[in-house]
Amino acid sequence: MPRSRKTWTEKMCAKPPHTVVLDKAFAGVPQGARLLISSPQEIDAFVRTLPPGRSLPIQQLRRELAARHGADAACPVSTSLFLRIVAEHAFERLQAGDDICHIAPVWRVIEPDSPLMRKLSFDVRWITERRQLEGLPA
């Protein structure tokens, strides 16, 4: 019997953030570096702190998260994965009737032409429209 797919809400509940010391270089991070593995909950909370009209590239998001944990870098793979979970969860909540002010404003971090945008289940127009409403580059 195949197992049922988790909802985006279920995927939001992941291991808490933690750091690892790399025994070999990974994704541009050198051997011996402390690498942060964040969590969807942490990324959701961080994105919610961004005020309207302020965007933050994912690379800067990674740097700021790493600094909060005293890490040398945040994992680019897991950060992108967790940001996707946050974005899909936000859109899922919006589709379920939640008010836009109650979801994480992922449009402040996800740029319409980013590789991550191509992986999302919803149309790029939603991100573009939200960014335009806040005067962000679309």
Side-chain angles (χ1 to χ4, degrees):
M1 174 189 240
R3 30 180 222 195
S4 62
R5 294 185 73 176
K6 286 185 178 181
T7 65
W8 294 110
T9 300
E10 291 169 327
K11 289 180 182 186
M12 285 291 292
C13 301
K15 289 187 209 176
H18 60 283
T19 58
V20 297
V21 176
L22 295 177
D23 55 1
K24 61 181 179 178
F26 172 74
V29 183
Q31 175 183 355
R34 287 176 39 99
L35 185 70
L36 170 68
I37 310 299
S38 188
S39 71
Q41 301 97 324
E42 180 178 45
I43 292 173
D44 183 275
F46 185 92
V47 169
R48 289 173 188 267
T49 68
L50 297 173
R54 178 172 179 229
S55 65
L56 188 73
I58 192 168
Q59 297 83 358
Q60 183 64 31
L61 169 73
R62 288 180 42 229
R63 283 192 291 273
E64 291 189 27
L65 288 171
R68 286 183 178 189
H69 290 272
D72 299 307
C75 177
V77 176
S78 63
T79 302
S80 291
L81 175 67
F82 297 153
L83 182 56
R84 178 182 180 199
I85 290 170
V86 171
E88 296 284 8
H89 177 254
F91 195 74
E92 181 178 82
R93 296 306 321 141
L94 194 62
Q95 296 303 105
D98 282 6
D99 191 277
I100 193 85
C101 67
H102 294 129
I103 65 167
V106 294
W107 55 88
R108 296 177 188 154
V109 180
I110 300 172
E111 295 174 356
D113 61 349
S114 74
L116 174 59
M117 189 65 234
R118 291 189 296 270
K119 295 180 180 183
L120 297 173
S121 66
F122 51 86
D123 194 286
V124 67
R125 286 180 290 182
W126 182 68
I127 293 284
T128 302
E129 289 169 4
R130 297 305 315 165
R131 289 178 68 87
Q132 287 174 338
L133 286 170
E134 292 189 11
L136 299 171

